[in-house]
Amino acid sequence: MDGFALLADPTRRRILDLLRAADEGSDEAADEGDDDAAVEGVDVSGLVEALDLPQPLVSKHLRALRESGVVSASVDGRRRVYRLAADPLRDVLAWVEPYRR
C-alpha cells in the first residue's frame, strides 16, 4: 500500500500522530537525561486506550502501517512496541517536495 492510501484512513493518521508525539516526548526526555522517560514508542494497549477503539481494529491498522514500512515494531517482554520508522512516507515526501520550493 502506498503512502497516500495509508494516509487516506483517519485512524491510521491518528496512530501516526500518537507515535510522532511519543517520539517527540522521548527526544525531550533524553535531552533532559531522564532514562526512564526516554522509552520510545507506544504499545498496542496504549494506542487502544488513546484511540478508544477495539484492539483488533488497532492491530489491523498497525499491521498495514508496519507492512508498508511506516512504523516498526519491537517486542518488549509481552508487549509489542511501535515507533515511527526512520524514514516514513518516502513516496509522499517525494511528491510534496517540488511544492515546497
Side-chain angles (χ1 to χ4, degrees), residues 10-11 13-15 18 25 28 33 37 43-45 47 50 54 57 59 67-68 74 78 83 86-87:
T11 300
R13 289 194 307 267
R14 288 177 60 203
I15 290 171
L18 290 167
E28 291 172 10
D43 65 2
V44 176
S45 64
L47 291 169
L57 181 60
S59 292
E67 289 174 354
S68 296
S74 61
R78 296 182 62 161
R83 297 170 183 83
D87 190 19

Side-chain angles (χ1 to χ4, degrees), residues 2-89:
D2 72 2
F4 294 101
L6 286 171
L7 293 175
D9 186 281
T11 300
R12 288 193 287 263
R13 289 194 307 267
R14 288 177 60 203
I15 290 171
L16 292 174
D17 287 341
L18 290 167
L19 295 177
R20 181 182 44 80
D23 192 40
E24 289 172 357
S26 68
D27 288 345
E28 291 172 10
D31 290 344
E32 295 172 7
D34 188 352
D35 292 336
D36 292 333
V39 175
E40 291 182 28
V42 181
D43 65 2
V44 176
S45 64
L47 291 169
V48 166
E49 182 178 330
L51 296 166
D52 194 27
L53 294 172
Q55 184 272 327
L57 181 60
V58 173
S59 292
K60 175 187 127 183
H61 288 296
L62 287 168
R63 182 174 49 251
L65 291 166
R66 190 179 68 244
E67 289 174 354
S68 296
V70 176
V71 302
S72 63
S74 61
V75 177
D76 180 22
R78 296 182 62 161
R79 301 177 331 138
R80 186 174 294 263
V81 179
Y82 288 86
R83 297 170 183 83
L84 286 178
D87 190 19
L89 302 168

